[in-house]
Amino acid sequence: MIRFVMAACAALLLGACASTDVQTDYDPETDFSRYQRYHWLEETSGADPQVGPLIAERAREALTLQLERNLYRRAAPGDKPDFLIRYYVSEGAQTSESRGRGSIGLGSASGNVGLGVGIGFPLGGTRVTRQLQIIVDILDGDTRKLSWRGVRQFDLDGKAKPEAIAAKVNESVNKIWAEFPPKR
């Protein structure tokens, strides 16, 4: 019985380590194996206005590299693609505040009574974390219906240098693309 419990705990721990921070959804009726040639959906790709255009361009370059590595070909102008691809980069912020704590304690020992009061106060104040979200959509070339979506959100240091931002964008796109096509 103990071996079973230990094996179950190990399996849960390994499963937690293998989890990904990419969220995906897809149409289970789609035959992804027929997707070979693509076109970009330029008109619906890009970024929120507050996201720098260089970040959006880095996302597109990283996606292009992944498409090429996975042997997908861009359909020639005028040719019908098997799938359409678009991406979107958005920016948000998460605010967290330190909270103060208070406590009262009462105790006695050998007839002596003591009372203590403690009040905590926040150190560091409010913290704002800049977050970027990358969305990659695959649409069917025939129906133009969404067939797959991958999303990853990550924190970005406000003082990050362009090289660090590029690395985070590349890492995110690579993690998203690692989930395509869906493993059923």
Side-chain angles (χ1 to χ4, degrees):
M1 179 68 174
I2 292 176
R3 286 184 186 163
F4 174 75
V5 171
M6 289 177 62
C9 288
L12 286 172
L13 184 60
L14 287 174
C17 292
S19 69
T20 179
D21 52 355
V22 173
Q23 291 80 42
T24 63
D25 196 7
Y26 65 94
D27 178 0
E29 302 297 317
T30 302
D31 178 12
F32 292 99
S33 66
R34 69 178 186 81
Y35 287 178
Q36 301 298 317
R37 296 173 303 132
Y38 70 93
H39 272 195
W40 285 100
L41 279 176
E42 305 277 349
E43 64 276 5
T44 55
S45 289
D48 281 346
Q50 69 265 26
V51 175
L54 292 174
I55 293 174
E57 187 58 34
R58 288 180 185 115
R60 182 184 172 114
E61 289 171 1
L63 269 170
T64 301
L65 185 60
Q66 287 300 321
L67 288 162
E68 290 172 1
R69 281 184 182 160
N70 289 277
L71 304 178
Y72 294 106
R73 297 181 322 271
R74 189 168 185 166
D79 285 351
K80 188 171 187 268
D82 303 317
F83 67 98
L84 305 166
I85 187 166
R86 69 179 170 205
Y87 67 95
Y88 198 73
V89 183
S90 62
E91 184 174 334
Q94 182 178 9
T95 305
S96 58
E97 295 184 29
S98 300
R99 304 225 182 238
R101 296 185 190 98
S103 63
I104 298 175
L106 179 65
S108 68
S110 303
N112 296 326
V113 176
L115 177 66
V117 177
I119 298 175
F121 54 92
L123 295 174
T126 303
R127 180 175 173 228
V128 178
T129 304
R130 182 177 171 201
Q131 296 178 325
L132 288 180
Q133 182 181 57
I134 298 177
I135 301 169
V136 177
D137 287 339
I138 303 294
L139 291 83
D140 188 81
D142 293 329
T143 64
R144 294 182 72 93
K145 286 176 48 180
L146 184 65
S147 57
W148 183 87
R149 172 173 276 183
V151 180
R152 182 166 193 254
Q153 183 172 312
F154 59 94
D155 292 345
L156 194 59
D157 181 5
K159 298 176 184 175
K161 294 185 178 188
E163 298 83 14
I165 295 171
K168 285 265 194 177
V169 169
N170 285 335
E171 174 190 7
S172 294
V173 169
N174 294 346
K175 285 185 175 192
I176 291 170
W177 199 254
E179 301 296 318
F180 183 81
K183 287 84 177 159
R184 302 179 199 214

